Amino acid sequence: MSDQIKTYDLIILGGGPAGIVGAGTAAHFGKSVALVDNHPELGGAGINTGTVPSKTLRETALTLSGARSRNLYGVDLSLRRDATVADFLGHERAVKTSLNNLLAKRLKDSHADVYQGDASFTDNHTISVSLGDGKSESIRGEYVLIATGSSPLHPACFPFGSPEIYDSDTVLELDRLPKKMAIVGAGTIGSEYACIFAALGTEVHLFDGRNVLLPFLDTEVSKALAAAMEREGVIFHWGMKVDCCTSTAETGVVLTFTSGETLTFDAVLIAAGRQSNTGQLNLSAAGIKPGERGLLLVDAHYQTEVPHVFAAGDVIGAPALASTSMEQARRAMRHVFGPAGSDEAYASLLPTGVYTIPEVSMIGETEESLKAKGVDYIAGRAGYDHNARGRIIGDTDGFLKLLFSRSEKKLLGVHVIGEQATELVHIGLIAMLSNCTAHVFDEACFNIPTLGQLYKSAALDALSK
């Protein structure tokens, strides 16, 4: 260990989306930054194992299934049943490499010092970085941002490491597309992969101990998504919990449920949640006590119980999206280093995007949350089937739902299911940031044919009530 301890305004633990944005934001305010990550490639799970690979596979699945015609660089349309999952990811590799390079450039532009190794607290300002070969270095920060992300949870009943047992980090290592696949856990990750493999021709069985799909969604949207997934071949098994799992090359993967029922599959993906990557940080030395699954508790400014230690991204739990993680880190650093009040304006407006087939996206209140709060509201709906662009692209099941306060007609919630839902929701996001009412959409002139015109139709539907 070196005698001199280098001191920074900010030390960031984790080089994923939250860490990179946190570094850039602090640098914008002229602060010195050190970033510690134990992977040689920057980007965290978002770029290296999760978001980019899975969404690339989704695009490929849409093309190969004929669900949507789109020219994708590096995709051979002759690929079918005998292809490996890796065959579908040539484009992903190019995308990942370019994004890794982009993130490295962003860090270079922010003049951040990058330390590759495992980080742990020695006190609440000092971080020890294990550099390998028995070497370590200590650095000290006035502030610390923990953005170490999360990893798939491994329930004890599953023999991870056995043939054809996968989690969301390893599922893209499949040797062949399975004919029959079980996915355990109908959360965001499980639902997205269920849609992808169903589109690629796999018989997909989706198991969950609950009886509703993605309960954070507006109920109407949740039911519509479940119906759409069933039409695409996903077989739901609600209220079923796995008691035991065995896997051999001869028998395949055998799942035994608490009900006593036994089913056999070619492969199983366990998507039973994630746990925060905080176990090796020696948080007790910093005076921080993690919660269940290693989650860090933070306030509205993403501040932990130790005032100068902040946390953002997966380590603090839901929604645990790359987009929200980046925004959390940005707001945390603005709170620390920016002008007073610079992080206050839009604290609760973070959109959610789920890349199922069809896509789902939302922001703000649901009908259920408004009812629970006793808010008098009106809902306006517009279907893709009554929209020219919706007809052109062949999506006749999608719809947009807008929720307005009945008295002021202020926009309170936006819910979209269908093609380009994760793009379409942003019109509503900007409208909510601007405190728009239904009358603004009534007066707005939208291009035709566009899905954006759904906002005008949905607002007029609400005003008619």
Side-chain angles (χ1 to χ4, degrees):
M1 185 177 293
S2 61
D3 295 327
Q4 289 278 10
I5 296 181
K6 192 168 183 179
T7 300
Y8 296 88
D9 295 313
L10 173 69
I11 296 175
I12 297 175
L13 308 183
I20 299 295
V21 169
T25 305
H28 172 76
F29 293 111
K31 304 303 178 180
S32 60
V33 180
L35 185 143
V36 185
D37 194 274
N38 58 5
H39 293 285
E41 295 179 312
L42 296 172
I47 289 177
N48 296 308
T49 60
T51 303
V52 169
S54 64
K55 275 52 174 182
T56 304
L57 184 59
R58 178 186 184 275
E59 289 295 313
T60 308
L62 285 168
T63 298
L64 295 181
S65 66
R68 185 174 69 216
S69 295
R70 178 176 294 179
N71 293 322
L72 289 176
Y73 175 78
V75 172
D76 179 356
L77 295 182
S78 67
L79 293 173
R80 285 298 186 268
R81 169 61 56 193
D82 59 347
T84 67
V85 174
D87 288 331
F88 300 134
L89 295 179
H91 183 48
E92 178 270 337
R93 288 188 289 272
V95 172
K96 185 170 79 70
T97 298
S98 65
L99 290 176
N100 286 142
N101 293 337
L102 176 62
L103 293 178
K105 184 180 183 303
R106 286 185 179 178
L107 271 185
K108 184 178 179 181
D109 291 343
S110 65
H111 303 289
D113 289 340
V114 179
Y115 295 81
Q116 185 183 334
D118 294 313
S120 61
F121 285 92
T122 55
D123 61 46
N124 59 20
H125 282 281
T126 308
I127 303 295
S128 176
V129 184
S130 298
L131 302 174
D133 296 328
K135 298 178 181 178
S136 65
E137 184 171 353
S138 290
I139 54 178
R140 187 171 177 83
E142 181 180 358
Y143 292 93
V144 178
L145 172 65
I146 302 174
T148 46
S150 65
S151 300
L153 194 66
H154 284 184
C157 62
F158 294 99
F160 287 92
S162 298
E164 307 306 326
I165 304 290
Y166 300 95
D167 61 26
S168 58
D169 281 354
T170 61
V171 67
L172 298 183
E173 299 171 6
L174 276 162
D175 292 333
R176 287 288 183 270
L177 286 173
K179 292 182 179 179
K180 185 178 181 182
M181 182 180 194
I183 298 179
V184 180
T188 298
I189 293 173
S191 297
E192 289 180 349
Y193 273 114
C195 293
I196 290 170
F197 282 102
L200 290 171
T202 296
E203 180 185 315
V204 176
H205 294 252
L206 185 55
F207 298 88
D208 200 280
R210 299 167 295 186
N211 58 4
V212 63
L213 181 65
L214 304 178
F216 59 85
L217 295 176
D218 185 274
T219 296
E220 182 180 2
V221 175
S222 172
K223 290 180 178 179
L225 176 59
M229 290 171 64
E230 286 181 328
R231 286 194 297 271
E232 295 303 315
V234 176
I235 302 167
F236 287 96
H237 300 266
W238 298 114
M240 293 187 68
K241 295 183 179 180
V242 177
D243 181 59
C244 178
C245 173
T246 60
S247 175
T248 66
E250 294 75 24
T251 63
V253 184
V254 180
L255 296 182
T256 303
F257 298 88
T258 53
S259 62
E261 184 178 358
T262 297
L263 296 172
T264 302
F265 300 91
D266 300 320
V268 172
L269 165 63
I270 294 89
R274 297 179 70 85
Q275 57 188 0
S276 297
N277 295 331
T278 56
Q280 306 302 315
L281 296 180
N282 193 25
L283 293 174
S284 60
I288 298 173
K289 184 178 181 180
E292 185 180 1
R293 296 187 180 183
L295 288 175
L296 300 184
L297 300 179
V298 295
D299 64 13
H301 304 297
Y302 306 102
Q303 194 169 21
T304 69
E305 58 200 287
V306 178
H308 64 273
V309 179
F310 291 73
D314 286 17
V315 290
I316 67 172
L321 305 170
S323 57
T324 55
S325 299
M326 294 162 69
E327 194 59 29
Q328 289 164 356
R330 182 179 291 111
R331 291 175 185 180
M333 295 302 94
R334 281 205 303 246
H335 176 73
V336 174
F337 300 120
S342 62
D343 63 322
E344 298 288 347
Y346 310 123
S348 63
L349 290 176
L350 296 174
T352 295
V354 183
Y355 291 85
T356 42
I357 303 174
E359 291 181 15
V360 172
S361 197
M362 63 167 285
I363 186 167
E365 303 284 356
T366 64
E367 285 203 64
E368 292 69 40
S369 67
L370 290 174
K371 290 174 182 176
K373 295 175 182 178
V375 176
D376 193 11
Y377 70 94
I378 50 175
R381 297 171 179 80
Y384 281 40
D385 58 336
H386 292 157
N387 174 274
R389 189 61 174 268
R391 288 282 181 175
I392 290 170
I393 63 178
D395 187 343
T396 57
D397 296 315
F399 64 87
L400 167 70
K401 177 160 77 170
L402 303 179
L403 303 175
F404 300 95
S405 62
R406 185 175 295 275
S407 57
E408 300 174 329
K409 307 299 186 293
K410 181 180 176 181
L411 184 61
L412 302 176
V414 179
H415 305 273
V416 200
I417 178 171
E419 180 80 1
Q420 296 296 309
T422 55
E423 296 282 354
L424 194 58
V425 75
H426 295 136
I427 296 175
L429 168 63
I430 299 303
M432 291 181 68
L433 292 175
S434 304
N435 292 312
C436 285
T437 67
H439 299 289
V440 171
F441 295 113
D442 183 19
E443 294 298 327
C445 178
F446 291 88
N447 284 327
I448 294 178
T450 61
L451 294 175
Q453 196 195 20
L454 290 165
Y455 277 89
K456 190 179 190 77
S457 301
L460 289 171
D461 180 54
L463 289 171
S464 70
K465 300 173 182 177

